[in-house]
Amino acid sequence: MARRFPFITSMAAGELAEEYLLRTDLQVRNEGARRFRNALNMAGGGFKRRWGTADVAGLNGVSRLETYGIGRSDARLLVFGDGRFEVRGLDGAVQQVIATAVPWREADLFTMQIAIEDGKVVVAARSFQPQILTLTGSTWAIAPLAFADGLNGSRLQPYWRYAARGISLSPSGYSGAINLATSADFFLPSHVGTRIRYTGVEIQIAGVSSPTAATGNVIGALYPTVTVTLASSDGFIIGQQVKGEDTQINGVVSAVPSATTLQIQMIDGFTLFDATEALVGPTARSKMSAVTNFATPAPTVDWDEALIGGARGYPGSTALHRNRLMLGDFDAAQNVMAASATGDIEDFSTGTGLETDAIIERVGRETSLGLRHFGSTEQLLLFTEAGVYYVPEQVAAPLSPTNFELLKIGPESAASPQPLLVSEGMMFIERDSGRTMICLPTGNVRRSWEIADLSELAFHLMGTPIELELLAAGTESDRLVPVLRDDGQMAVLTYRRSAQFSAWSLWHTAGSWRSLVVADGQLFVVAERVVDGVRKFRLERFDETAWADGMVALPDLNTPVPLYAGHTIGVWSGPSKLGEFEVGPDGRLIGVDDSFGAVRVGLDFPLIVEGVPPIDQQMGLRPNYKITRVDVDVIESVGFKGNGRDPSGWSGVIGGEVTPTTGVRRFRPLGRAKYPTFTIEQHVGGPLEVRTITMEVTS
């Protein structure tokens, strides 16, 4: 016997993966959609047509957008292009262009990382030296990151031991131009210009003659190597650190020439032992009787080289955290993290380990473990190829050399898009799946962070993300997180704090979107369009009043629109679409009724929302269902179709003025199916807002 039952859906859960469509045990299943394309979830339930975009300005090829400044009068768009940097106002007007000495290329745009704070923009990528864009007054300048000068000509740059364990360095002299020899292959031709350190004193490499031989210039003078005469050298071992018992001067045993002499490389400076004090080591103690300088510095394993440079490459990740510049993902030391001294992004000297000194640390055990991103929240997060870590900072114990402990949150690895800070934590893209994840603080002392999957119900929409942004809630919607995919489409998350589930939609356009940024509460995009066979890149802004993409307002029909010359575009008068019309070579519309005044033109896009198959909650799955009636409750909307049919009495004629109306539109679909669905489509751009969809179903 046939059974009738109602089925109501709000579409509040957005699009669901096919795997969830028959999960009748899940509440989210009856609140979702099979397809949710170019639609926008509403804060009070239901959905509407997504915003279109307004054309703002032309761009010079593929570009990446960032923003600087807060507020309408201060916010600016930073446009990164192939060998080019532009500053634009929110109206698209070019305020400054830098096209010389810009190292990034098109291939770098979406892998390089950008950190912005306090009049400086730091740009990092493995393919070039980190760059600093500095704003002085109203003018930007670009220069490579220059490390601060230290005492006596030294450079406060980060250093790292790249040479294999046990390889020693032998300088031929203490100052000036000297020869350098290593006990195994080390030097590369690209080492020329690089600085190495012999027990903390810098030597700049001037030339490389072989993998074990080079020349260099000492910056200052090397610490001396001394010969000490003592009662007995018995018990002292090469490589041990020793000190004067009275002076507390430190050195390292470099040779044991005889039963009463030692060669010691000084490591604390140029002050020598007192010839009458005792020399103390871990395994011996003996009274000294003489201390003399040795002719040449002793070979040592206590040496390192610049962490960054032409020989070892550059950092691929960067961020600013608690007044420190963070650098990571180095080409030859992928799991090393460098943090500048507090308050000075050009000082990477570890000094004596004071709280404000720089920090150079290894993350994990594998040198190939890529440190992909830093996340600056109340605690420092590190996103690596092997999972996410955090530093357990506190207000009274911020990040410092003495407060650096890494604790692992979970094994989820991070993909290339830079993580996004939101009120709840830090969003990031999981590398292997492309899913959107979030690191959430738990409030617990023992386990401070956890990771949740925000895209579990709509994982099929994720694609390969390249950027993500946060658009604050407005009158039209809750918070949105658009995730830009490499195919030019967006998976858009409606992000509610109190919602039981995350709602996703897929937005697409005529062409592709290539970058996005939120500036002063507005979502800007780089759009790639093909107009009359020509590829063009445009700066566009999402606009709640735009019914199409790339819309341009024309005060009258005689106003040319050269952007679309030779192309066919849609023409709107208010919410009414007049039709698709050709644009002549001179940019003027052809064939539009000249009785219309001001119009807007653009590229139409379809809205498609298909509900989930209704299922009898009492009887479960049945052989056949028939959707006998569908009532669609709409607000201030123009024409749309339900399962391919226009609603009775609906005002949706193309070519003339239409008036948006509010009310319930009834449909009576035909036929039975095992899993029937109801689809709303709007292929003619105009206002459309659906509050509820109520079905009467026969099983």
Side-chain angles (χ1 to χ4, degrees):
M1 180 178 177
R3 164 182 159 77
R4 287 188 177 184
F5 62 91
F7 185 80
I8 302 175
T9 179
S10 67
M11 305 288 185
E15 184 165 330
L16 304 178
E18 290 285 334
E19 289 82 348
Y20 293 97
L21 294 181
L22 298 181
R23 288 290 304 274
T24 58
D25 57 319
L26 298 178
Q27 178 187 351
V28 67
R29 185 258 178 211
N30 294 332
E31 299 294 333
R34 186 173 189 174
R35 284 187 295 170
F36 205 71
R37 308 296 169 92
N38 284 325
L40 176 65
N41 281 107
M42 298 302 295
F47 65 90
K48 70 182 301 180
R49 181 182 180 87
R50 74 155 169 88
W51 310 312
T53 64
D55 185 78
V56 177
L59 296 171
N60 292 278
V62 178
S63 303
R64 173 175 170 179
L65 301 179
E66 297 289 341
T67 186
Y68 180 88
I70 299 174
R72 190 170 299 274
S73 60
D74 295 326
R76 299 291 183 269
L77 295 174
L78 307 182
V79 184
F80 296 82
D82 186 6
R84 187 179 180 91
F85 171 73
E86 297 178 354
V87 181
R88 292 177 180 251
L90 300 188
D91 61 355
V94 177
Q95 298 179 351
Q96 186 179 348
V97 176
I98 300 177
T100 58
V102 177
W104 50 81
R105 295 294 176 259
E106 182 177 324
D108 301 315
L109 293 181
F110 298 98
T111 57
M112 68 189 192
Q113 295 194 15
I114 299 171
I116 302 174
E117 186 175 299
D118 193 25
K120 287 184 171 59
V121 177
V122 183
V123 185
R126 284 197 188 177
S127 56
F128 54 80
Q129 185 173 349
Q131 301 290 305
I132 305 293
L133 288 156
T134 304
L135 177 62
T136 304
S138 60
T139 302
W140 290 86
I142 186 172
L145 172 62
F147 298 107
D149 293 329
L151 297 175
N152 201 28
S154 63
R155 187 172 297 161
L156 304 182
Q157 62 182 329
Y159 285 87
W160 189 251
R161 170 77 183 201
Y162 284 110
R165 182 188 298 273
I167 295 179
S168 63
L169 174 69
S170 299
S172 65
Y174 288 106
S175 62
I178 60 173
N179 295 321
L180 300 167
T182 54
S183 59
D185 289 355
F186 168 78
F187 293 112
L188 303 168
S190 53
H191 267 121
V192 174
T194 299
R195 293 193 181 193
I196 62 176
R197 293 192 305 185
Y198 174 93
T199 62
V201 179
E202 297 174 4
I203 305 169
Q204 184 161 333
I205 298 175
V208 174
S209 55
S210 77
T212 59
T215 58
N217 295 300
V218 180
I219 310 302
L222 302 183
Y223 297 148
T225 298
V226 297
T227 299
V228 298
T229 303
L230 66 173
S232 173
S233 61
D234 188 39
F236 291 97
I237 301 172
I238 294 174
Q240 282 185 338
Q241 184 167 325
V242 294
K243 66 170 55 179
E245 189 172 51
D246 299 327
T247 61
Q248 296 294 297
I249 299 297
N250 292 293
V252 174
V253 177
S254 59
V256 185
S258 71
T260 57
T261 58
L262 295 175
Q263 282 183 6
I264 298 176
Q265 170 199 350
M266 308 305 294
I267 59 175
D268 272 354
F270 300 94
T271 303
L272 306 185
F273 302 118
D274 187 323
T276 62
E277 67 180 328
L279 186 69
V280 180
T283 57
R285 178 184 183 280
S286 184
K287 190 78 168 179
M288 291 183 285
S289 58
V291 179
T292 59
N293 283 347
F294 195 69
T296 58
T300 185
V301 294
D302 181 15
W303 64 286
D304 52 19
E305 64 179 292
L307 177 62
I308 300 171
R312 302 300 181 182
Y314 304 106
S317 60
T318 188
L320 289 155
H321 177 71
R322 293 186 182 272
N323 294 317
R324 294 180 185 266
L325 174 62
M326 316 299 296
L327 298 175
D329 197 30
F330 299 95
D331 196 20
Q334 296 181 38
N335 68 330
V336 172
M337 182 208 82
S340 72
T342 301
D344 189 348
I345 67 172
E346 297 177 346
D347 180 0
F348 279 81
S349 171
T350 55
T352 58
L354 297 176
E355 296 296 289
T356 57
D357 283 342
I359 306 167
I360 314 293
E361 290 285 350
R362 190 189 302 273
V363 178
R365 301 170 184 170
E366 299 295 330
T367 58
S368 60
L369 173 67
L371 203 174
R372 293 291 180 246
H373 307 282
F374 299 97
S376 180
T377 66
E378 64 272 18
Q379 295 178 332
L380 177 66
L381 302 182
L382 291 87
F383 298 86
T384 77
E385 290 181 317
V388 187
Y389 297 79
Y390 75 99
V391 178
E393 300 177 72
Q394 299 176 10
V395 174
L399 178 67
S400 69
T402 59
N403 180 38
F404 185 82
E405 179 185 12
L406 282 178
L407 301 177
K408 194 168 186 177
I409 301 172
E412 290 82 359
S413 58
S416 60
Q418 285 189 249
L420 175 68
L421 179 64
V422 296
S423 299
E424 292 75 14
M426 184 76 69
M427 289 185 182
F428 70 100
I429 302 300
E430 205 274 333
R431 183 186 62 178
D432 295 329
S433 67
R435 295 190 181 199
T436 301
M437 317 295 285
I438 184 168
C439 287
L440 297 163
T442 64
N444 298 328
V445 175
R446 185 168 183 178
R447 182 175 175 82
S448 299
W449 294 83
E450 63 183 7
I451 296 175
D453 186 350
L454 293 176
S455 53
E456 179 181 3
L457 300 175
F459 60 85
H460 65 296
L461 296 182
M462 294 302 101
T464 303
I466 58 173
E467 284 187 328
L468 63 164
E469 269 288 349
L470 173 67
L471 182 62
T475 57
E476 291 287 315
S477 72
D478 292 298
R479 292 182 298 169
L480 299 180
V481 177
V483 178
L484 181 60
R485 310 186 333 180
D486 66 349
D487 62 1
Q489 302 182 81
M490 290 185 201
V492 180
L493 168 65
T494 301
Y495 190 47
R496 302 184 181 98
R497 288 185 175 90
S498 59
Q500 295 179 338
F501 34 76
S502 303
W504 289 89
S505 175
L506 185 66
W507 294 6
H508 56 83
T509 185
S512 303
W513 290 306
R514 293 303 179 197
S515 184
L516 51 83
V517 74
V518 172
D520 190 37
Q522 303 173 85
L523 179 58
F524 291 83
V525 290
V526 174
E528 180 182 348
R529 314 276 185 205
V530 177
V531 178
D532 194 27
V534 178
R535 190 169 69 143
K536 297 183 178 182
F537 293 89
R538 307 293 300 180
L539 175 64
E540 298 177 1
R541 182 189 68 254
F542 276 89
D543 183 348
E544 297 173 1
T545 66
W547 315 124
D549 288 332
M551 294 198 85
V552 178
L554 305 180
D556 57 65
L557 294 175
N558 290 320
T559 302
V561 55
L563 165 61
Y564 293 119
H567 203 67
T568 298
I569 58 174
V571 180
W572 281 262
S573 175
S576 309
K577 185 172 182 180
L578 307 182
E580 296 281 322
F581 296 91
E582 184 180 350
V583 181
D586 61 352
R588 287 181 169 82
L589 291 165
I590 299 173
V592 183
D593 187 340
D594 59 10
S595 65
F596 289 96
V599 296
R600 296 178 80 183
V601 301
L603 304 169
D604 213 340
F605 60 85
L607 172 145
I608 302 175
V609 174
E610 180 183 4
V612 297
I615 293 179
D616 191 334
Q617 296 296 314
Q618 293 184 19
M619 305 298 292
L621 295 175
R622 307 283 281 177
N624 275 303
Y625 287 98
K626 176 178 174 56
I627 301 175
T628 57
R629 187 182 73 214
V630 180
D631 290 333
V632 181
D633 185 10
V634 300
I635 304 173
E636 289 295 308
S637 301
V638 298
F640 66 96
K641 292 184 177 182
N643 276 11
R645 303 179 65 188
D646 293 311
S648 174
W650 188 252
S651 176
V653 178
I654 300 178
E657 294 286 355
V658 297
T659 302
T661 58
T662 297
V664 176
R665 298 302 162 183
R666 177 162 290 180
F667 296 82
R668 294 191 179 277
L670 301 175
R672 287 180 172 270
K674 188 174 182 180
Y675 303 121
T677 60
F678 183 76
T679 302
I680 291 176
E681 296 180 82
Q682 189 190 49
H683 293 273
V684 177
L688 174 61
E689 181 176 346
V690 176
R691 281 191 287 201
T692 59
I693 300 173
T694 304
M695 301 181 190
E696 182 183 83
V697 184
T698 301
S699 63

